[in-house]
Amino acid sequence: MAYRTINPATGKIVKTYDDISDAALSKAMDVAQACYENDWPLRSIAQRAEVIHAAAELMRRNRDRLASLATLEMGKPITEAKSEVTLSADIFDYYAKMAETFLKPRPIPDVLNATIETFSLGIILGVEPWNFPYYQVARVAAPQLMAGNVLVIKHASNVPQAALAFAQMLEEAGAPKGAYTNIFASTDQVGRLIEDTRVRGVTVTGSEGAGAAIAERAGRKLKKSVLELGGSDPLLILEDAPFEATLDNAMWGRMNTTGQSCTASKRVIVVGKERGEQFLEGLRIRMSSLRAGNPADPATTLAPLSSDKVMTGLLQQIESAKAAGAKVVTGGSRIDRPGFYLEPTILTDITEHNPIYTQELFGPVLSFYIVESEEEAIKVANATPFGLGASVFTANLERGKEVARRIESGMVYINRPVWSAPELPFGGVKNSGYGRELSELGIGEFVNRKLINVSAAGSPPPSDHQAG
Ligand code: NAP
């Protein structure tokens, strides 16, 4: 029974679910395909938008209940869980409102009578992570449903109640059976689904390992994939960055979702020794003052990690970092209380030979670097296999943009850590994956941009050099 709710604040099992049987999975696929062939994409964009707007409304109305489920299952602070639900509703409204514009036929400049019309593809399979159990799914569901695709979603096994609540909300909003199907599937079953001819695309948000395994299988069947994978975002502090505001942002960047965000500011890189030491001390004071508590209590400043597995992995990474010469400035240990609580940790003295120089630290563990120049800061920023997000702090915005252009990542924010909004494209390069979610780019990932090229009746054949 892989799908179960374990409360990260207590470590206790709350509820378990059976995996879907092969027979039920096969039936679910038939229903999804029938919905695709006979219903969902045949509705007008306005009719689909009615359902998606209704879903946004339901999310807002049920915000507190949905947020409490996320906090119960993966331990995020309740205030952040509420914001996540609101952002997810905003994503639904955004695509319901903008789809007509994004999907309308487009003329081709300088070519008469040729247009590009946009069509859906069919069933899209989504594999989703637990860290933002609603927002991650909203990034896929809202654009793909508005594009006319139908979805089969395998959510992370530790957030089954959030997964069911999301599916139920779409059903209540009026989505027909088969438009959105949640499945408690095993890795094997997901593998077989990828090979099912009715599945026309696969999208994964998760680790490099999951992304590589799923994309490899999809590639063998010549199916498109979108990969939203890990990150080790650098936060660069240039010499003229204002002190307090930058400190506030670095704390938010590292500690949001208790550090378990793909775009968390996992590496702080400060230019200049003196300022570097001031920033280190500022972060040390702030991180060590956080107090573990119940994440359902809005006054709690340190929530638990999502699972024992994440805790064990981070403790091993801290140990191997220390063995390779890193210094622990604060934290470094499990907190002695029930649940999965880790002391907020800062590591310094990380050489390029240290394993964590190139690894992602998915929790409240900050890698801190002091460098001598902007040039060196850019070099350290780019010295990872990842390329998801980055941020640059400086009073000189033009200089910030120059530095941003030299960072190998899909997103760079100046004077704020990476944050998300429906209209801003989200995604990375290098081992952080490929493809984009959100914005107009997100709705374009799983569609057929079909060329329709009209010539007058009785036109002569194309000349030889026009053959394809
Ligand atoms: P994970 O282990 O890869 O899990 C993510 C999802 O993939 C889960 O639903 C998981 O199912 C499933 N999965 C894992 N291996 C699979 C396989 N071989 N075949 C089919 N499904 C498979 O990721 P995680 O460790 O929970 O999440 C953290 C990672 O996700 C971090 O690296 C983080 O940076 C990344 N992430 C990236 C983004 C982004 O937008 N770029 C956003 C959030 C998180 P089970 O739960 O059943 O194992």
Side-chain angles (χ1 to χ4, degrees):
M1 242 174 283
Y3 288 82
R4 55 187 190 174
T5 305
I6 298 177
N7 182 350
T10 62
K12 298 235 162 69
I13 297 175
V14 176
K15 208 164 177 179
T16 59
Y17 293 83
D18 289 335
D19 280 9
I20 191 168
S21 68
D22 284 347
L25 185 56
S26 165
K27 173 105 189 299
M29 287 298 290
D30 291 346
V31 173
Q33 183 64 14
C35 178
Y36 185 70
E37 285 175 12
N38 308 318
D39 185 347
W40 188 248
L42 309 182
R43 298 187 189 198
S44 67
I45 292 178
Q47 286 169 330
R48 296 201 290 265
E50 257 177 52
V51 175
I52 299 305
H53 272 312
E57 196 41 46
L58 277 171
M59 261 188 253
R60 291 200 181 92
R61 215 179 306 146
N62 291 293
R63 185 194 68 164
D64 291 359
R65 182 178 64 82
L66 292 170
S68 297
L69 274 183
T71 296
L72 171 72
E73 296 201 291
M74 54 67 65
K76 75 167 58 186
I78 188 69
T79 317
E80 291 182 18
K82 288 181 186 173
S83 302
E84 181 189 339
V85 177
T86 303
L87 175 57
S88 306
D90 290 348
I91 293 170
F92 268 59
D93 276 340
Y94 170 76
Y95 281 108
K97 182 167 153 235
M98 297 304 295
E100 194 91 50
T101 307
F102 294 157
L103 300 174
K104 73 174 180 228
R106 290 177 190 191
I108 298 180
D110 301 328
V111 183
L112 268 187
N113 301 324
T115 47
I116 294 173
E117 295 191 21
T118 300
F119 296 89
S120 55
L121 291 182
I123 299 177
I124 305 302
L125 173 66
V127 177
E128 299 301 324
W130 44 263
N131 63 342
F132 291 87
Y134 305 115
Y135 158 80
Q136 299 290 3
V137 190
R139 290 193 332 195
V140 173
Q144 296 318 321
L145 289 172
M146 282 312 304
N149 292 311
V150 302
L151 288 162
V152 172
I153 299 290
K154 180 250 175 286
H155 213 321
S157 48
N158 57 335
V159 288
Q161 297 192 55
L164 289 174
F166 195 92
Q168 193 193 350
M169 186 236 350
L170 273 161
E171 199 183 318
E172 275 174 31
K177 274 212 172 329
Y180 181 98
T181 310
N182 176 72
I183 50 165
F184 289 152
S186 67
T187 301
D188 264 10
Q189 287 171 318
V190 170
R192 276 182 268 134
L193 280 190
I194 296 170
E195 301 194 347
D196 187 313
T197 50
R198 295 168 293 184
V199 169
R200 296 293 167 82
V202 189
T203 179
V204 185
T205 302
S207 59
E208 288 169 280
I214 292 170
E216 183 186 354
R217 201 140 177 186
R220 268 192 266 135
K221 291 293 167 188
L222 305 175
K223 293 183 188 182
K224 181 174 179 183
S225 53
V226 165
L227 303 183
E228 297 284 351
L229 308 180
S232 187
D233 289 10
L235 185 151
L236 283 71
I237 303 178
L238 307 189
E239 283 155 309
D240 58 355
F243 188 73
E244 286 297 329
T246 304
L247 212 50
D248 289 345
N249 277 289
M251 274 300 286
W252 186 90
R254 178 59 289 198
M255 292 307 296
N256 178 36
T257 329
T258 320
Q260 301 159 112
S261 162
C262 50
T263 50
S265 310
K266 292 164 188 151
R267 298 176 296 141
V268 166
I269 305 164
V270 188
V271 179
K273 192 163 186 326
E274 201 179 316
R275 292 203 86 215
E277 276 161 9
Q278 286 163 3
F279 272 107
L280 180 58
E281 178 59 7
L283 285 166
R284 188 195 64 75
I285 291 168
R286 289 182 185 214
M287 284 184 74
S288 57
S289 71
L290 301 176
R291 291 286 162 263
N294 181 356
D297 177 353
T300 292
T301 53
L302 181 67
L305 295 171
S306 56
S307 68
D308 204 28
K309 186 176 145 206
V310 170
M311 165 76 77
T312 311
L314 278 170
L315 287 172
Q316 277 167 1
Q317 283 181 299
I318 293 169
E319 283 316 307
S320 62
K322 277 162 47 183
K327 194 173 134 207
V328 178
V329 173
T330 184
S333 305
R334 185 173 190 153
I335 299 174
D336 185 18
R337 58 177 284 156
F340 315 128
Y341 290 85
L342 179 70
E343 290 172 343
T345 302
I346 303 179
L347 300 171
T348 60
D349 298 51
I350 304 161
T351 68
E352 57 192 80
H353 306 294
N354 197 308
I356 62 152
Y357 191 71
T358 51
Q359 288 172 354
E360 177 182 29
L361 289 159
F362 208 59
V365 184
L366 174 67
S367 300
F368 190 93
Y369 298 86
I370 298 175
V371 295
E372 281 178 10
S373 66
E374 212 166 275
E375 226 25 62
E376 198 186 342
I378 294 168
K379 187 170 156 258
V380 174
N382 287 336
T384 90
F386 298 103
L388 192 55
S391 45
V392 182
F393 285 77
T394 172
N396 182 337
L397 303 188
E398 283 313 310
R399 191 160 146 229
K401 283 193 249 176
E402 283 308 314
V403 172
R405 291 184 186 110
R406 296 181 58 198
I407 293 180
E408 297 165 355
S409 69
M411 306 167 273
V412 185
Y413 282 65
I414 294 168
N415 291 327
R416 276 189 165 179
V418 176
W419 50 281
S420 184
E423 57 280 4
L424 300 174
F426 193 105
V429 294
K430 296 162 75 178
N431 288 14
S432 294
Y434 46 76
R436 291 291 180 270
E437 289 182 343
L438 300 177
S439 77
E440 181 169 5
L441 302 185
I443 204 170
E445 292 288 359
F446 294 107
V447 288
N448 177 7
R449 301 273 194 202
K450 187 185 291 186
L451 167 68
I452 301 195
N453 194 353
V454 181
S455 299
S459 298
S463 57
D464 285 347
H465 79 271
Q466 289 174 321

